[in-house]
Amino acid sequence: MTLLPVPTTAIIVVAAGSGSRLGAGAPKAFVGIDERSVLRHALDGVFAAGPAQVIVVAPAERAGDAETVLIEAAGDRRDLGRVVVGGETRQQSVAAGLRALWGDITTVLVHDAARALTPSSQIDAVAQAVTDASGVIPVLAVIDTIKRVDAESIVAAVDRSELAAAQTPQGFPRELLAGAYAAALASGAEYTDDAALFAAAGHPVRHVPGSPLAFKITTPDDLDRARHLLGGTRDSFSAVPTIPRVGIGTDVHAFGGEGDLWLAGLQWPGEQALSGHSDGDAVAHAIVDALLGAAGLGDIGQHFGTAHPEYAGAHGDVFLARTREILAEEGYAIGNVSVQFQANRPRFSARRAEAEAVLSAALGGVPVSVSATTTDGLGFTGRGEGIAATAIASVHPIR
Ligand code: CTP
Ligand code: MG
């Protein structure tokens, strides 16, 4: 076995919940997604990230099973892992994990096993962003329009630009987190997540971009979504594999619209806008045509054209979410999307992850990759007259 240097980062994977909302007849972490359990998938992501002490917090009656899963997932790194028994609440389970930290640990990440498909890059990004004085959490932009409601009515609109959905792992400097946990224990306060507990002790928490893949498996629908993302549906695990279909879509818009540019689901302040019936987001529109084409369901003009005034001015996420619905109504799930646009501007690479997260979220969490290229000054994109995008998508029948 390879001798590894003692890590200074630890990841506490909380897996001691009962999974009452999932209702699968077993603690959630031990429910199968495919042939692998929720905990196994979560640990595969954890062990694919940079070396860290890994503490799995399990229900008392499942500690032995957790040990087996840990050994299988850890491979070469089994010396870095151990299992401890959790408590009644998530907060108590994290506290149990904290008691098992090695002396050398300076950075602690707390991660929900239930976020089983979290990319290892998200774990690394959080670990790297923790400082001596501040915590960090991954967040996703809120896509839906949010309302404050009472029993019957809409009470108020809420500005979603001020909101974000928190994910895990959440990372903290060890000493400050231990102090914050001690304070919470002394006061008896229960917090909804570690960031809230850490902030209540007076420490700042910053955010980094999360991933749609880091969604928490909470309900049976979430488990189905995880199964789709792993390439199979509940039925297709036992039945005939389905044959994927692919489609292609292109779109072009000229510069010349009002306001800021909207492209790849993002607003680009200060960049020249594209003209069009909607916001002119050629990237989103090319994806829509690729998806509709893959499923044999017509094209964007048919479903969203000028005969549909409700889409005037609509942004790409609205088109994509509706396209996903149209496909689902016809029995298709989306496999993946790859899209490339040609333009001199905007400079894209710094916002690639953000664009991919927004487009992916609008499509229910499927992988979306976006690339950009210039055309060496040639053609209308080279002359800076507009933007062209080409997308390819795969879909598969789900019944
Ligand atoms: N968790 C834990 N100990 C608890 C409660 C929760 O370690 N006493 C863990 C869960 O295993 C999960 C994460 O915290 O990985 C997020 O909690 P949640 O999604 O609420 O899971 P459960 O509590 O298991 O589900 P439910 O609330 O539906 O019973
Ligand atoms: Mg719970």
Side-chain angles (χ1 to χ4, degrees):
M1 183 177 294
T2 334
L3 270 184
L4 297 163
V6 178
T8 55
T9 297
I11 306 175
I12 297 172
V13 181
V14 283
S18 59
S20 54
R21 286 170 289 181
L22 187 60
K28 184 159 69 184
F30 300 88
V31 172
I33 302 181
D34 43 15
E35 69 282 359
R36 296 179 171 197
S37 62
V38 167
L39 178 60
R40 175 62 195 270
H41 277 284
L43 289 178
D44 284 348
V46 164
F47 283 106
Q53 184 192 7
V54 176
I55 300 164
V56 177
V57 187
E61 72 281 8
R62 291 299 192 122
D65 295 335
E67 193 80 46
T68 307
V69 178
L70 174 63
I71 288 167
E72 284 168 2
D76 245 14
R77 296 193 189 175
R78 63 182 289 179
D79 287 353
L80 298 182
R82 68 170 286 197
V83 173
V84 302
V85 170
E88 290 280 298
T89 65
R90 184 182 180 284
Q91 195 168 311
Q92 288 171 16
S93 293
V94 177
L98 288 171
R99 288 193 290 274
L101 290 175
W102 289 330
D104 290 338
I105 299 297
T106 55
T107 296
V108 178
L109 270 51
V110 183
H111 188 37
D112 291 334
R115 296 182 191 274
L117 304 188
T118 304
S120 56
S121 57
Q122 178 159 323
I123 299 169
D124 286 329
V126 169
Q128 280 156 25
V130 174
T131 71
D132 289 349
S134 64
V136 59
I137 69 170
V139 300
L140 270 192
V142 174
I143 299 243
D144 293 320
T145 295
I146 304 289
K147 307 285 187 201
R148 199 176 303 285
V149 297
D150 62 16
E152 279 167 12
S153 307
I154 304 300
V155 177
V158 181
D159 180 3
R160 70 180 168 196
S161 67
E162 291 180 1
L163 303 178
Q167 300 185 328
T168 72
Q170 303 192 342
F172 309 92
R174 179 208 181 137
E175 291 305 329
L176 295 188
L177 183 66
Y181 260 88
L185 186 65
S187 70
E190 280 281 331
Y191 296 92
T192 50
D193 68 357
D194 306 287
L197 181 150
F198 188 77
H203 309 305
V205 181
R206 293 171 306 116
H207 57 88
V208 293
S211 162
L213 290 173
F215 71 95
K216 185 156 71 74
I217 297 173
T218 305
T219 64
D221 277 350
D222 297 325
L223 188 59
D224 274 345
R225 183 171 158 204
R227 287 176 169 151
H228 282 302
L229 287 167
L230 291 172
T233 64
R234 220 169 235 177
D235 291 337
S236 70
F237 283 119
S238 52
V240 192
T242 55
I243 300 167
R245 301 171 52 136
V246 294
I248 187 166
T250 64
D251 194 34
V252 168
H253 281 278
F255 288 117
E258 302 276 310
D260 287 331
L261 173 69
W262 280 82
L263 190 70
L266 302 179
Q267 186 173 14
W268 298 81
E271 295 282 347
Q272 202 181 357
L274 293 164
S275 64
H277 161 56
S278 62
D279 65 356
D281 186 336
V283 168
H285 300 172
I287 296 174
V288 170
D289 260 347
L291 289 167
L292 292 171
L297 294 174
D299 62 17
I300 190 167
Q302 180 185 334
H303 295 278
F304 301 91
T306 44
H308 297 269
E310 67 273 24
Y311 295 110
H315 293 309
D317 55 347
V318 174
F319 281 69
L320 293 173
R322 177 62 193 139
T323 303
R324 177 178 172 236
E325 272 173 21
I326 294 169
L327 263 63
E329 285 158 13
E330 296 300 324
Y332 287 96
I334 302 168
N336 76 304
V337 172
S338 171
V339 58
Q340 183 178 58
F341 71 88
Q342 300 181 347
N344 295 341
R345 296 192 62 83
R347 290 272 166 248
F348 183 65
S349 57
R351 298 189 73 189
R352 180 198 313 279
E354 198 184 340
E356 291 177 344
V358 166
L359 297 171
S360 171
L363 292 175
V366 302
V368 176
S369 50
V370 188
S371 60
T373 182
T374 60
T375 52
D376 221 5
L378 296 174
F380 69 87
T381 57
R383 291 190 298 273
E385 294 166 9
I387 290 181
T390 306
I392 293 180
S394 70
V395 303
H396 55 269
I398 47 179
R399 50 173 191 267

